[in-house]
């Protein structure tokens, strides 16, 4: 018997020996492993639990599995609050594929995507304020088409402009557990750059996926032409 | 992608270093982008940048562009005007400020903050695009095993359906017909009278009897029966004083009217 | 640190400690793991070796990996000299989702079923005679597939056509104790299935489950092609 096989046996013996509270049920672990391996899409805890025996400790199993695979060629990742096996990122060189990328993103599109990601929910006027230029409609349309951003609601301000946010596909693509896990969020927040106005000691907004207090859910049937209305509202104010 | 994005940022900055900058005005994404590039050229932390110096650089840039007859977009000129105003206020001794108007320092701080924010968001964009991306750097299972959906078919058919099918089928094959309520051949006089009584209020003037027949009683025999029964009902009602009848000649059209409204005679009379 | 993490460390320490000849290179192992995981089809040793550093012991690596995954939810399988990860066969049930679907028989199918139920044992020619239409083969096949009818014997007539009857499952579906409990003419009349005066010559047979006197048990090995034989027998008779 090879050394590896011996080790496996050691693991199994230890697992059997341990109290159920301490160790994950090895049969359940095999099941979660099989389900996640087989799936083409990330699975959430609910989806896993419907396939597992009742009472299985999904959270504990996922944690164990994550540890088992931590240093392997394949890792268990949490993306968009769901779980998926992915090849280890340090092996990218081995697997990297030159993708026929959905049109190379322009600098404007990349910036816009970042602004939407970090500032969501964000209106077009707010994006324009940050970038200091008028947005071309094509940029937003393109990001919508790729499926990385979506209209999430309307701001409760005059004109009721629509607000944009990122999608689950965005989180999956960039390997993020949630928008709160965007790189550098804390620094940006600390510097006050995620606020809509210069630092003034007001509340610090987080990028949030749920509706914020000044945001209404988006109703596509709402008659308003948001941009036009925003415009006219501004005129009124002036 | 991340590297490419970074390269683009760098390219803009490098261009800004020499005189080619002037020709590249189209390469800037608006006045704020241009200001940020100029600010970077001061080679100090943007937080500590001299806004006065920056304003001068910007105005110089616009002047050179004008000399080269480059067409400048309106927003560059608006920014130039604003910076000229800011510059004059920064140079002049503190004068009295109109109510609610920000001081020159506040305006400078605000501009500095906006440049910092744009810079920070660009850095964040670069970092975001530098992440390991699915299907480019990291990969999911290449040959996933899909979940097989097995349809558990159940049938709703009951014994009732089975017996109905059998009875219908057998009877049909035996030349029988399924039961259908037989349409009565004769309109009962009572039925005709009931009908007329319901219509009474609506017969305003002399109306032809043939127009009072029930519409659904069509076809040779049925129509004759309807005519006969309705006429008999009319006669009964005339006897009771509820209707008046009029016929101008034998076999001519018979006219009916409500006895309670009777004040004149038919025009033919 | 959890017990699983400790085990992983144990494995790694052991791996590091062993002589290269004995243990697989753990970095190479990670590579093979990632390559096989990400591949869209099984890979052979040659395909693997082009991606691995020169001199990597592909055979040894695959053997080690096979052992590592032997008792896991996913196994490394070798089919026709090519390697791929597959869900452990005992967990195949996890990848099967049962979806209930309610249906109704077609008009032709329920009529055929009713005739088989009442007239069993009945041959196909007899069914056609009763229904007055040619039977589509699909209808009988479908009823066989549902499991409500079966071939029960052969009629002792020229051509020895097979006879059909109903099954246990049929009785269960329609809530009958036995086919003898199918309602007779009077009951059908009383229940309103038949008009008060059925056409002359109408009667409902008394179906039986046991073999009738002119019926032989069905022997699937009997060489006759019943339909063809029936046809030729009829020709002979004519």
């Amino acid at each position: 018997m090879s050394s590896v096989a011996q080790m496996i046996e050691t693991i199994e013996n230890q697992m059997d020996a341990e109290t159920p509270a301490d160790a994950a049920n090895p049969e359940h672990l095999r099941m979660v492993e099989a389900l996640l391996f087989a799936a083409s899409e990330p699975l959430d805890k609910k989806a896993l639990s419907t396939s597992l025996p009742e009472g299985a400790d999904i959270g504990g199993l996922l944690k164990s599995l994550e540890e088992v695979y931590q240093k392997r060629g394949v890792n268990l990742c949490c993306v968009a609050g769901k779980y998926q096996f992915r090849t280890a990122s340090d092996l990218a060189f081995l697997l990297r594929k030159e993708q026929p990328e959905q049109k190379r993103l322009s600098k404007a599109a990349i910036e816009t995507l970042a602004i939407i990601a970090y500032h969501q929910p964000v209106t077009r006027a707010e994006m324009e304020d940050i970038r200091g230029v008028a947005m071309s409609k094509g940029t937003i349309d393109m990001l919508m088409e790729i499926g990385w951003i979506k209209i999430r609601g309307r701001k409760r301000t005059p004109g009721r402009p629509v607000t944009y946010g990122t999608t689950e596909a965005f989180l999956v693509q960039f390997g993020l557990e949630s928008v709160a896990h965007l790189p550098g969020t804390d620094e940006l927040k600390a510097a006050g750059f995620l606020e809509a106005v210069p630092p003034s000691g007001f509340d610090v907004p987080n990028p949030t996926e749920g509706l914020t207090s000044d945001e209404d859910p988006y109703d596509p049937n709402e008659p308003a032409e948001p941009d036009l209305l925003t415009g006219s509202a501004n005129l009124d104010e002036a | 992608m991340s590297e490419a994005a970074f390269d683009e940022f760098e390219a803009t900055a490098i261009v800004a270093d020499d005189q080619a900058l002037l020709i590249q005005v189209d390469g800037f994404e608006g006045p704020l982008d241009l200001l940020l590039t100029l600010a970077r050229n001061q080679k100090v932390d943007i937080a500590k940048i001299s806004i006065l110096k920056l304003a001068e650089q910007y105005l110089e840039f616009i002047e050179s562009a004008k000399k080269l007859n480059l067409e400048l977009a309106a927003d560059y000129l608006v920014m130039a005007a604003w910076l000229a105003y800011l510059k004059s206020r920064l140079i002049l001794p503190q004068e009295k400020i109109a109510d609610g108007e920000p001081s020159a320092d506040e305006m400078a701080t605000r501009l500095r903050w906006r440049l910092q924010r744009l810079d920070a968001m660009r850095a964040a964009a670069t970092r975001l695009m530098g992440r390991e991306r699915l299907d480019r750097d990291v990969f999911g299972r290449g040959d996933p095993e899909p979940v097989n959906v097995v349809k558990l078919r159940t049938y709703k058919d009951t014994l009732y359906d089975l017996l109905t099918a059998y009875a219908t089928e057998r009877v049909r094959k035996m030349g029988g017909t399924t039961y259908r309520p037989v349409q009565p051949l004769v309109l009962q006089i009572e039925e005709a009278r009931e009908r007329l009584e319901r219509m009474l209020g609506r017969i305003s003037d002399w109306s032809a009897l043939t127009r009072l027949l029930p519409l659904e009683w069509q076809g040779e025999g049925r129509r004759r029966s309807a005519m006969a029964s309705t006429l008999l009902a009319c006669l009964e009602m005339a006897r009771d004083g509820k209707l008046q009848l009029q016929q101008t000649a034998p076999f001519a059209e018979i006219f009916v009217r409500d006895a309670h409204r009777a004040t004149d005679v038919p025009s033919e009379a």
Side-chain angles (χ1 to χ4, degrees), chain B residues 25-46:
Chain B
V25 66
D26 282 347
F28 292 103
E29 277 207 80
L32 206 59
D33 184 24
L34 172 55
L35 273 171
L36 183 56
T37 308
L38 293 171
R40 280 230 182 94
N41 286 354
Q42 289 192 16
K43 311 253 192 250
V44 289
D45 184 352
I46 296 174

Side-chain angles (χ1 to χ4, degrees), chain B residues 31 37 66-67 81 124:
Chain B
T37 308
K66 274 185 185 161
K67 271 182 212 148

Side-chain angles (χ1 to χ4, degrees), chain A residues 37-38 86-87 92 95-96 99 101 104 107 110-111 129-131 133 173-175 184 192-193 199, chain B residues 4 9 29-30 113-114 116-117 121-122 127 129 131-139 141 144-145:
Chain A
F37 240 84
R86 293 179 169 199
T87 55
L95 302 157
R96 183 161 287 147
Q99 268 207 315
E101 189 127 23
R104 268 181 59 125
K107 182 183 152 195
I110 291 168
E111 260 178 50
D129 180 55
I130 294 168
R131 299 194 60 228
V133 280
Q173 170 72 205
F174 290 94
F193 292 135
Chain B
F9 294 146
E29 277 207 80
W113 183 80
R114 284 193 71 190
Q116 276 179 280
R117 181 176 63 174
M121 287 320 297
R122 285 192 173 163
R127 224 173 331 169
M129 297 314 282
R131 284 186 67 83
E132 305 286 353
R133 301 247 303 266
L134 185 67
D135 294 333
R136 193 193 62 174
D137 309 304
V138 296
F139 296 84
R141 177 89 181 267
E145 297 168 74

Side-chain angles (χ1 to χ4, degrees), chain B residues 129-202:
Chain B
M129 297 314 282
R131 284 186 67 83
E132 305 286 353
R133 301 247 303 266
L134 185 67
D135 294 333
R136 193 193 62 174
D137 309 304
V138 296
F139 296 84
R141 177 89 181 267
D143 187 17
E145 297 168 74
V147 172
N148 279 322
V149 177
V150 181
K151 287 206 171 136
L152 283 184
R153 199 167 273 176
T154 51
Y155 287 85
K156 284 190 275 193
D157 303 83
T158 62
L159 187 59
Y160 177 86
D161 300 315
L162 187 78
L163 298 180
T164 306
Y166 185 69
T168 319
E169 177 64 12
R170 284 301 310 282
V171 168
R172 184 183 62 76
K173 181 61 180 31
M174 301 294 289
T177 49
T178 33
Y179 171 77
R180 273 194 204 89
V182 181
Q183 284 190 325
L185 287 170
V186 181
L187 179 64
Q188 303 290 319
I189 296 168
E190 293 87 326
E191 207 182 318
R193 186 168 170 163
E194 251 176 60
R195 220 181 131 264
L196 277 175
E197 275 170 353
R198 281 201 306 274
M199 292 168 70
L200 212 53
R202 277 177 281 152

